[in-house]
Amino acid sequence: MQIRGSIPALVTPLKDGALDIDALHALVTWQIDEGSHGLVPVGTTGESPTLSHAEHFLVIEEVVKAAGGRVPVIAGAGSNNTLEAIGFMRHAEKVGADAALVVTPYYNKPTQEGLIAHFTALHDCCDLPIIIYNIPGRSVVDMMPDTMARLAELPRIIGVKDATGKLERVSQQRLTCGPDFIQLSGEDATAPGFNAQGGIGCISVTANVAPRLCAEFQEATLAGDYARALQIHDILMPLHLAIFLEPGLVAAKYGLSRLGKCSEEVRLPLLGLTEATRQKMDVAMRHAGLIN
């Protein structure tokens, strides 16, 4: 199944402290109906740090079930504990996910050789394809293009979600990993430049709230219609900015609550949006034509 285009990093709906599975099913159906090209459950936007293992497993299972093979499901399977990540990988494969999104190990600060050992162990533990998630701003370790090239030689390490914010990385990684290595942006605001240099999609926070616009933007870039893509990007840019004034998943849940899709409930240590950011989200959503 082809991995490209607009791929929301799904929020995990909560209700009174527990998973809201009904809202999750409805969210998956809505996302697919709106044109999203794939789904990522239980990434950081899905509140993976505060889900129990049982909740993590259940969300992956239910998203796979609700998607029903209509779009690829890329299961969040990252950890700074290699053995724990192996468990996430094997479970995702067992329940039918199409690939795994695996973040570089955070906090322990492994060397580049440590990164190679970690991802090689995950590659070898099962047959699930892996997309590397490189986000040095959160993990405090940056996988360098030469390191990624060594991992790209493994048959099931198929791509990267690049949230470095360094647009030159796309071209560098095309040189080191080859033009067929899947490169997905992890930053909504720089997605036009990312795709212009060879990226083929975005694992997006904004797509939680504006799935149709994000899908149309990606389709325009993939068709080489950057004039149309820029028009859509101008519509979306205030929303990209507003969503990241506070932790992105909090604003995404607020936006979804304004659309009647799920509650805005999050788990500590995160808090609900401040009133000032709520107002900016409302303005941005009106600018994008999402609310009146």
Side-chain angles (χ1 to χ4, degrees):
M1 191 173 284
Q2 197 170 42
I3 295 174
R4 61 191 293 150
S6 179
I7 305 170
L10 283 178
V11 302
T12 300
L14 302 172
K15 185 176 181 180
D16 300 325
L19 299 180
D20 187 345
I21 297 300
D22 289 341
L24 180 64
H25 286 174
L27 204 56
V28 169
T29 297
W30 178 65
Q31 284 286 343
I32 295 171
D33 289 347
E34 289 289 292
S36 293
H37 303 103
L39 300 167
V40 173
V42 201
T44 312
T45 305
E47 293 180 81
S48 56
T50 53
L51 296 186
S52 68
H53 282 195
E55 289 172 327
H56 179 123
F57 293 154
L58 182 60
V59 171
I60 301 293
E61 290 172 29
E62 294 298 333
V63 170
V64 170
K65 185 190 304 180
R70 290 174 288 173
V71 298
V73 175
I74 306 165
S79 174
N80 63 343
N81 174 342
T82 304
L83 292 176
E84 182 177 64
I86 286 171
F88 290 154
M89 289 278 299
R90 288 175 172 164
H91 171 266
E93 180 184 43
K94 178 182 175 182
V95 300
D98 298 284
L101 180 68
V102 179
V103 70
T104 51
Y106 40 87
Y107 195 79
N108 355 28
K109 297 175 70 173
T111 63
Q112 297 297 300
E113 290 297 326
L115 290 175
I116 288 170
H118 175 78
F119 279 92
T120 300
L122 297 182
H123 172 274
D124 293 347
C125 80
C126 67
D127 293 327
L128 200 63
I130 293 172
I131 294 175
I132 296 163
Y133 183 13
N134 193 24
I135 181 165
R138 285 181 183 249
S139 66
V140 202
V141 60
D142 186 0
M143 183 181 288
M144 304 309 293
D146 288 344
T147 302
M148 200 169 293
R150 289 171 61 186
L151 288 170
E153 293 175 1
L154 299 173
R156 289 183 301 281
I157 294 190
I158 62 171
V160 61
K161 174 187 177 182
D162 190 302
T164 63
K166 299 178 179 179
L167 290 178
E168 69 273 17
R169 282 290 176 91
V170 189
S171 295
Q172 290 172 342
Q173 286 157 184
R174 280 174 65 83
L175 288 172
T176 59
C177 301
D180 294 331
F181 192 68
I182 296 168
Q183 296 201 59
L184 305 170
S185 173
E187 286 204 337
D188 286 293
T190 58
F194 191 95
N195 281 10
Q197 295 200 64
I200 59 169
C202 182
I203 295 179
S204 168
V205 177
T206 302
N208 277 283
V209 181
R212 185 172 297 277
L213 284 168
C214 289
E216 289 175 354
F217 164 80
Q218 286 293 332
E219 287 164 4
T221 66
L222 293 172
D225 187 354
Y226 276 88
R228 174 61 180 149
L230 194 56
Q231 288 177 336
I232 301 169
H233 193 65
D234 288 344
I235 294 169
L236 284 169
M237 193 64 185
L239 191 56
H240 295 328
L241 296 174
I243 277 179
F244 287 102
L245 290 170
E246 296 180 37
L249 75 92
V250 181
K253 280 191 166 180
Y254 171 76
L256 285 165
S257 76
R258 294 284 280 116
L259 298 173
K261 300 299 179 184
C262 69
S263 81
E264 57 184 295
E265 185 178 334
V266 295
R267 283 183 175 168
L268 289 170
L270 297 179
L271 298 171
L273 286 190
T274 61
E275 185 58 34
T277 302
R278 287 169 183 259
Q279 292 176 12
K280 289 175 181 175
M281 278 291 295
D282 287 350
V283 169
M285 290 178 72
R286 288 191 189 99
H287 181 80
L290 302 174
I291 59 173
N292 296 322

